[in-house]
Amino acid sequence: MTAIVIAGAQWGDEGKGKIVDLLTLRADLVVRYAGGPNAGHTLVVGNEKVVVRLVPSGILRPASTCVMAQGMVVDLRVLCEEIDALEARGVKVAGRLVLSDRAHAILPYHLEVDARREGAATDAARIGTTKKGIGPCYEDKAARRGIRLGDLVHREHARERIEAACEAWSPVLRALGGQTPSAGAILEALQPHVDRLAPLLADTAKVVDDAIRGGKNVLLEGAQGTLLDVDHGTYPFVTSSSATAGGACTGAGVGPTRIDGVIGLVKAYTTRVGGGPFPTELSDAVGEHLRKVGGEFGSVTGRPRRTGWLDLPALRFAARVNGMTSIALTKMDVMTGLERLEVCVAYETKAGRTEEFPLDDLAQSKPIFRAMKPWSASIDHARKLEDLPTEAREYVTMIEEALGIPASLVSVGPERDATIARGDLFAPR
Ligand code: IMP
């Protein structure tokens, strides 16, 4: 058996789509363990692009089964639209997608509260959420008044629970200028989606365990990134779920002893969408180059992403809290042709210089940079490390040495084969 977790090491958008796509060539089961329609991958089906936010990208590999596990929050309407879009392009979803009956449903009042709160916040306090109802849905889960997908199958039970949730949200909505939500109308609109998705519901923790015990390759796919994790991120500018590898245990129902490796996704530079601290942010022509060449615009919201240099203390922190066994280094090609190249190696804090990431004191800390040699020759053709120009090789080695773990994959272009692969990630340890 081999169960591998793949988790973002930065603020999300590390280029997971391509790496997961490569790994799913060998995965029997692809399991998404956290988040909801706030994530987004662009899948290329034939000559057409489909953006999926909920369905794991393994759906494109006919041999893989995809699981949406109980750590997720699901907007049933969005999920039905995704299934329609995939099936219209000839991707068979029926029989290959399993949905946890314990995942929580995102309901209209979650979307409305999310959007109204963002609208009402001051510039400094605004989180810059994706407005997909993620935060309020996880709030309901923690408050024990959430609606799980399994609840929706029993109509009267669902009505009672939705009525209670509407009552709880009603003063909040009114204070934000909204109306009291109607449980009846919500249920009415939801019913066709519930009828359609009910046959997909299962105890997915059991499905995952059966696969691991059956000697299958299981890929546990996180969403967002370490610094957006509700426990380990730049709180309060975070999402509301456990994006780190530990989230795979609770979110998919897999014990830590069953996990064989953790691949950290590291983009060769850093990006962030939404509000919150970003010490290595660039607001000059280099930042613009990274945004333009890297196509750094949100796949869910279309917002331009903030861009900046790689942050080694942040990566060391991510390697530690995720227990990373290797990294997949993405978008190395975007760094080609930069006029200068720097990397944050330490921080100057109130207490002096440190190589630790000052997570709780970012606003008061100044990044210390080291200049690296940029490279100008295209690296898209490289298929082994030796094919890279010396400067690019030095960049990879510098990251490996800083983190003390190897780069098992280096991506040098968006195409599937534009990849330097080192070793078999699904090989048993
Ligand atoms: P929420 O997850 O919509 O509540 O947004 C909370 C924060 O997480 C905001 O800063 C979002 O921009 C950020 N965020 C959520 N999902 C993603 C993602 O997939 N990539 C990058 N940032 C994200």
Side-chain angles (χ1 to χ4, degrees):
M1 64 156 201
T2 310
I4 300 283
V5 178
I6 182 149
Q10 294 148 316
W11 277 288
D13 307 316
E14 291 94 354
K16 176 153 26 75
K18 173 180 156 172
I19 306 299
V20 169
D21 178 61
L22 280 172
L23 292 172
T24 51
L25 263 177
R26 298 278 314 283
D28 303 295
L29 205 65
V30 183
V31 185
R32 198 171 140 194
Y33 61 77
N38 47 349
H41 298 314
T42 304
L43 303 181
V44 181
V45 190
N47 293 324
E48 285 185 84
K49 287 185 176 172
V50 192
V51 175
V52 291
R53 301 177 194 163
L54 289 164
V55 176
S57 25
I59 203 74
L60 290 193
R61 306 282 192 194
S64 305
T65 299
C66 291
V67 172
M68 292 171 54
Q70 67 261 43
M72 289 189 71
V73 288
V74 182
D75 185 324
L76 297 188
R77 187 186 51 79
V78 173
L79 179 56
C80 287
E81 282 170 10
E82 277 182 25
I83 296 173
D84 286 343
L86 287 164
E87 292 198 325
R89 288 163 181 82
V91 180
K92 187 171 164 287
V93 177
R96 298 186 44 231
L97 180 65
V98 194
L99 200 52
S100 170
D101 52 7
R102 292 187 208 135
H104 280 246
I106 298 177
L107 294 174
Y109 41 85
H110 297 135
L111 292 156
E112 197 181 339
V113 169
D114 196 0
R116 285 187 182 272
R117 274 184 187 156
E118 283 291 286
T122 60
D123 284 352
R126 189 173 297 121
I127 306 289
T129 74
T130 58
K131 300 186 187 163
K132 302 295 174 196
I134 308 296
C137 186
Y138 280 112
E139 278 174 63
D140 269 356
K141 173 177 174 173
R144 293 163 290 201
R145 60 164 180 257
I147 317 298
R148 307 207 286 187
L149 301 188
D151 292 327
L152 289 169
V153 179
H154 309 288
R155 209 178 152 95
E156 267 324 294
H157 171 69
R159 176 183 298 278
E160 279 169 27
R161 290 200 60 87
I162 295 178
E163 273 169 359
C166 286
E167 206 172 301
W169 283 113
S170 155
V172 178
L173 272 168
R174 278 203 306 273
L176 289 165
Q179 310 265 317
T180 298
S182 149
I186 290 171
L187 263 172
E188 188 88 3
L190 209 58
Q191 202 56 46
H193 305 310
V194 174
D195 293 343
R196 182 170 177 196
L197 296 171
L200 276 54
L201 296 181
D203 174 356
T204 53
K206 181 80 172 53
V207 173
V208 176
D209 187 61
D210 286 347
I212 293 176
R213 283 176 194 280
K216 309 271 192 211
N217 285 335
V218 176
L219 182 67
L220 298 148
E221 174 192 345
Q224 288 80 46
T226 300
L227 298 174
L228 287 173
D229 182 286
V230 68
D231 287 291
H232 305 291
T234 46
Y235 194 89
F237 296 95
V238 293
T239 190
S240 304
S241 65
S242 300
T244 44
C249 294
T250 50
V254 181
T257 51
R258 300 240 158 241
I259 291 173
D260 300 287
V262 177
I263 304 173
L265 279 162
V266 175
K267 184 151 63 181
Y269 48 96
T270 313
T271 60
R272 165 158 219 179
V273 226
F278 182 178
T280 66
E281 184 165 12
L282 287 161
S283 46
D284 59 4
V286 176
E288 198 48 46
H289 168 110
L290 296 174
R291 183 159 37 249
K292 229 168 102 194
V293 181
E296 298 295 354
F297 296 88
S299 53
V300 173
T301 59
R303 289 179 289 180
R305 295 178 184 142
R306 300 156 69 190
T307 52
W309 297 125
L310 197 68
D311 185 331
L312 292 180
L315 290 182
R316 266 193 296 268
F317 167 77
R320 168 160 65 82
V321 297
N322 286 285
M324 287 177 194
T325 47
S326 73
I327 62 163
L329 184 61
T330 65
K331 293 197 157 185
M332 268 291 282
D333 53 305
V334 176
M335 309 290 280
T336 301
L338 287 179
E339 64 204 36
R340 63 178 214 282
L341 177 51
E342 290 173 32
V343 43
C344 167
V345 290
Y347 276 86
E348 192 62 52
T349 68
K350 275 185 299 206
R353 184 191 156 109
T354 175
E355 292 190 355
E356 295 278 316
F357 186 56
L359 180 65
D360 298 316
D361 202 19
L362 275 181
Q364 312 300 322
S365 305
K366 273 180 54 191
I368 299 170
F369 293 102
R370 169 180 153 199
M372 302 282 299
K373 286 190 218 119
W375 62 92
S376 53
S378 164
I379 59 169
D380 306 21
H381 62 280
R383 297 295 175 267
K384 28 187 212 313
L385 272 195
E386 299 76 62
D387 296 339
L388 291 174
T390 316
E391 299 83 357
R393 223 160 46 224
E394 276 172 11
Y395 195 70
V396 178
T397 310
M398 176 270 301
I399 299 169
E400 289 182 321
E401 284 175 359
L403 305 189
I405 46 175
S408 49
L409 282 172
V410 180
S411 174
V412 291
E415 301 76 25
R416 219 174 248 176
D417 67 338
T419 307
I420 300 170
R422 300 158 83 204
D424 177 4
L425 292 167
F426 278 111
R429 271 197 295 187

